[in-house]
């Protein structure tokens, strides 16, 4: 899984310099495709329930599952890119949100909160904690910010398949409390908060994929594949020169 995770991170490292005003999301997806091919992995998203691209690219009001196309990035945009790769029969899944050019204060804040929520979730990925304990940390960070916590989409267990049990929502519900359990060494989770600048509401566009905020406000999505180990959380979707927690100069991570 570390091998697959590193391929995802290396792909982010390759595309990061492209994320500038004027580039289209299709051009970014083409670079994702080339990188996955070069690394010898398999794109998990292409053909997944019919998804037509190698990555999900969601700009501004798009929350998740954006389809790459002719949309050009412009200064001030926030672009969330989600990449899944299979290698040697195991999966890695990660999403990074990037700022394009000069972002507005509010846009920067949405991204900061989303990254902080992911960081809290990762901190909670330790043996002895419970799934609800991990999730309540994520929820606390987002609720304290007053921003919108997206409830319709969830993180997940990951292994030989991209989506395995358990589901990892970003909020605790009575239903989740009923099926809570203690986290054990060896469990690997894809933790992925989605944070909206305005209200929590989302809707899916007519293309059947692209999820947008109902109020048109900007949204961020940050995800890592994280192994629970005796030594603490091990973030598997890191590349060369990257560490967890991220160094201040880390791009997108
Ligand atoms: Mg993902
Ligand atoms: Mg995922």
């Amino acid at each position: 899984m570390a091998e697959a995770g590193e391929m995802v991170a290396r792909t982010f490292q390759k595309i990061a310099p492209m994320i500038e005003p004027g580039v289209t999301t299709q051009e970014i997806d083409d670079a994702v495709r080339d990188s996955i091919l070069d690394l010898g992995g398999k794109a998990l998203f292409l053909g997944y329930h019919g998804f037509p691209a190698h990555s999900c690219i969601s700009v501004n009001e798009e929350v998740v599952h954006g389809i790459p196309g002719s949309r050009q990035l412009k200064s001030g945009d926030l672009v969330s890119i989600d990449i899944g790769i299979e290698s040697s029969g195991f999966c890695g899944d990660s999403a990074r949100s990037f700022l394009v050019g000069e972002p507005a204060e509010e846009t920067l804040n949405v991204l900061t909160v989303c990254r902080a929520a992911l960081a809290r979730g990762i901190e909670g990925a330790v043996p002895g904690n419970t799934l609800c304990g991990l999730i309540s940390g994520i929820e606390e960070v987002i609720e304290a910010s007053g921003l919108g916590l997206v409830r319709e989409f969830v993180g997940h267990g990951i292994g030989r398949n991209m989506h395995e049990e358990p589901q990892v929502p970003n909020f605790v519900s009575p239903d989740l409390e009923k099926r809570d359990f203690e986290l054990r060494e060896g469990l690997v989770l894809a933790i992925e908060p989605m944070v909206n600048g305005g209200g929590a509401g989302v809707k899916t566009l007519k293309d059947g994929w692209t999820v947008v905020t109902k109020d048109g406000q900007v949204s961020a999505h940050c995800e890592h594949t994280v192994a629970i180990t005796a030594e603490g959380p091990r973030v598997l979707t890191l590349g060369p020169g990257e560490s967890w927690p991220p160094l201040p100069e880390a791009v997108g991570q």
Side-chain angles (χ1 to χ4, degrees):
M1 293 193 72
E3 183 183 296
E6 188 181 320
M7 286 183 182
V8 174
R10 281 178 179 270
T11 299
F12 277 117
Q13 290 179 339
K14 279 192 196 163
I15 63 169
M18 291 179 71
I19 301 172
E20 294 282 350
V23 73
T24 66
T25 53
Q26 184 62 59
E27 287 168 332
I28 298 172
D29 190 64
D30 289 347
V32 170
R33 176 202 59 206
D34 292 348
S35 169
I36 296 175
L37 207 67
D38 283 353
L39 293 165
K42 178 177 170 263
L44 281 168
F45 297 172
L46 183 67
Y48 184 82
H49 294 285
F51 189 77
H54 299 77
S55 58
C56 298
I57 306 185
S58 309
V59 184
N60 293 340
E61 77 287 353
E62 297 172 349
V63 181
V64 287
H65 304 163
I67 302 174
S70 57
R71 187 167 180 169
Q72 259 182 339
L73 298 184
K74 55 183 195 320
S75 181
D77 283 351
L78 187 159
V79 58
S80 305
I81 303 175
D82 197 342
I83 299 172
I85 298 179
E86 184 191 313
S87 180
S88 309
F90 288 95
C91 301
D93 183 10
S94 176
R96 300 189 185 192
S97 284
F98 300 85
L99 297 165
V100 185
E102 290 301 313
E105 189 85 18
E106 306 82 63
T107 305
L108 184 61
N109 186 42
V110 172
L111 179 54
T112 303
V113 170
C114 193
R115 284 188 180 148
L118 173 59
R120 251 318 257 295
I122 292 172
E123 264 173 47
V126 290
N129 195 4
T130 63
L131 184 66
C132 282
L134 183 161
I135 291 169
S136 64
I138 299 173
E139 184 176 18
E140 219 172 85
V141 170
I142 303 173
E143 293 299 352
S145 75
L147 299 180
L149 189 162
V150 177
R151 288 174 161 75
E152 284 80 351
F153 300 90
V154 298
H156 46 93
I158 177 167
R160 290 193 178 273
N161 295 301
M162 174 166 57
H163 293 139
E164 298 185 354
E165 290 296 321
Q167 286 199 348
V168 185
N170 294 301
F171 65 102
V172 176
S173 62
D175 174 56
L176 192 74
E177 281 173 328
K178 265 183 252 162
R179 53 190 176 84
D180 196 16
F181 62 91
E182 197 175 298
L183 301 176
R184 289 196 318 253
E185 226 181 299
L187 178 65
V188 185
L189 301 173
I191 303 172
E192 49 180 315
M194 288 142 269
V195 176
N196 293 350
V202 298
K203 62 181 181 186
T204 303
L205 297 184
K206 287 204 181 75
D207 64 20
W209 283 105
T210 314
V211 176
V212 298
T213 57
K214 271 190 182 156
D215 57 13
Q217 297 282 313
V218 71
S219 183
H221 177 214
C222 301
E223 174 184 27
H224 271 306
T225 295
V226 184
I228 293 163
T229 80
E231 289 77 42
R234 180 173 168 201
V235 178
L236 299 181
T237 34
L238 293 179
E242 294 179 336
S243 58
W244 188 266
L247 300 168
E249 65 269 27
V251 180
Q253 196 194 328

